[in-house]
């Protein structure tokens, strides 16, 4: 089996140890984006990474005022009772910290918002960090997001535990209601143990 591109003559050449695993940009409204381990020893094989980080630029296709929630399923597990979560959300005037729907990892913008003067080009952003994805303990994640609607928006942080000792072999991203909108994009990175000075 050949070495991945970040190993040359048996030496890890990437000092930061972030490896671009996969990227998906939608060309139509789509129900979900899934990243699955290739299990082949190459860059797409999740088993070599300590952590996974998803950088998300997206919006929901559901119409109406306000925001939609981004959900993530680990290994296809959509059972809310298998997760625990807390969140902190602020719109600049009101701050809220509370237990959360355990499937939520970020707020994002709906496709059509009120007032109707809002640009159709506004997307939400989120960084979702999944820790110790191959450990034998429950899996934790921290997600930070921001969504703006011409000066009215949210910033949010969600912390979550998936109550499974299984290694993470797939991540499915979807909206709580409706599809992810055309041009939504998610980039997935694997974090290797830092082995170079």
């Amino acid at each position: 089996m050949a070495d991945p591109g970040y190993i040359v003559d048996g030496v890890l050449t990437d000092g930061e140890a972030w490896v671009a695993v996969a990227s998906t940009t939608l060309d139509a409204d789509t129900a979900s984006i899934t990243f699955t381990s290739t299990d082949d020893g190459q860059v797409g094989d999740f088993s070599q990474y300590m952590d996974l980080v998803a950088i998300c630029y997206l919006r929901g296709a559901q119409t109406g005022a306000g925001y939609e929630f981004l959900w993530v399923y680990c290994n296809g597990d959509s059972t809310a009772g298998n997760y625990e979560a807390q969140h902190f959300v602020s719109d600049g005037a009101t701050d809220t910290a509370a237990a959360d729907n355990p499937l939520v990892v970020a707020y994002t913008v709906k496709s059509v918002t009120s007032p109707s003067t809002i640009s159709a080009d506004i997307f939400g952003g989120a960084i979702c960090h999944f820790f110790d994805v191959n450990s034998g303990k429950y899996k934790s994640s921290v997600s930070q997001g921001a969504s703006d609607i011409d000066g009215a928006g949210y910033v949010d942080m969600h912390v979550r535990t998936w109550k499974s000792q299984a290694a993470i072999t797939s991540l499915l991203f979807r909206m709580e209601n409706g599809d992810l909108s055309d041009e939504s994009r998610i980039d997935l990175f694997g974090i290797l143990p830092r082995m170079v000075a």
Side-chain angles (χ1 to χ4, degrees), residues 20 28 32-33 40 51 71 79-80 97 99 103 125 138 147 155 159 165 196:
S32 63
I33 294 173
D40 61 1
D51 300 350
W71 287 7
T79 304
L103 297 174
Y138 286 0
S147 294
V155 293
V159 294
Q165 294 177 287
V196 295

Side-chain angles (χ1 to χ4, degrees), residues 21-60:
V21 174
S23 178
T24 298
T25 302
L26 299 179
D27 57 10
D29 293 356
T30 303
S32 63
I33 294 173
T34 301
F35 298 102
T36 302
S37 177
T38 58
D39 298 328
D40 61 1
Q42 298 301 302
V43 296
D45 187 344
F46 295 2
S47 68
Q48 63 192 310
Y49 301 118
M50 279 189 349
D51 300 350
L52 295 171
V53 175
I55 299 178
C56 310
Y57 174 76
L58 37 80
R59 66 189 292 146

Side-chain angles (χ1 to χ4, degrees), residues 11-190:
V11 177
L12 178 67
T13 58
D14 185 345
E16 293 302 316
W18 278 59
V19 178
V21 174
S23 178
T24 298
T25 302
L26 299 179
D27 57 10
D29 293 356
T30 303
S32 63
I33 294 173
T34 301
F35 298 102
T36 302
S37 177
T38 58
D39 298 328
D40 61 1
Q42 298 301 302
V43 296
D45 187 344
F46 295 2
S47 68
Q48 63 192 310
Y49 301 118
M50 279 189 349
D51 300 350
L52 295 171
V53 175
I55 299 178
C56 310
Y57 174 76
L58 37 80
R59 66 189 292 146
Q62 183 187 20
T63 60
Y67 297 86
E68 181 62 277
F69 299 108
L70 175 67
W71 287 7
V72 174
Y73 301 158
C74 296
N75 293 5
D77 186 353
S78 61
T79 304
N82 292 340
Y83 300 84
E84 296 291 340
Q86 295 280 322
H87 77 245
F88 174 78
V89 178
S90 178
D91 64 4
T94 304
D95 304 325
T96 304
D100 201 357
N101 177 328
L103 297 174
V104 172
V105 296
Y107 283 31
T108 191
V109 180
K110 289 183 182 177
S111 187
V112 178
T113 57
S114 294
S116 60
T117 56
I118 298 301
S119 169
D121 296 326
I122 295 178
F123 282 65
I127 299 172
C128 307
H129 193 146
F130 303 88
F131 299 98
D132 295 325
V133 297
N134 289 296
S135 72
K137 60 186 179 184
Y138 286 0
K139 307 304 181 290
S140 298
S141 65
V142 174
S143 301
Q144 299 169 301
S147 294
D148 183 36
I149 301 178
D150 288 350
Y154 285 99
V155 293
D156 56 284
M157 175 181 277
H158 297 260
V159 294
R160 193 173 79 146
T161 299
W162 179 42
K163 298 183 289 185
S164 173
Q165 294 177 287
I168 293 177
T169 57
S170 71
L171 294 169
L172 182 149
F173 295 80
R174 57 159 290 191
M175 291 298 167
E176 178 182 19
N177 300 293
D179 290 343
L180 292 157
S181 285
D182 178 30
E183 299 302 322
S184 292
R185 175 178 175 162
I186 301 177
D187 296 293
L188 185 67
F189 295 86

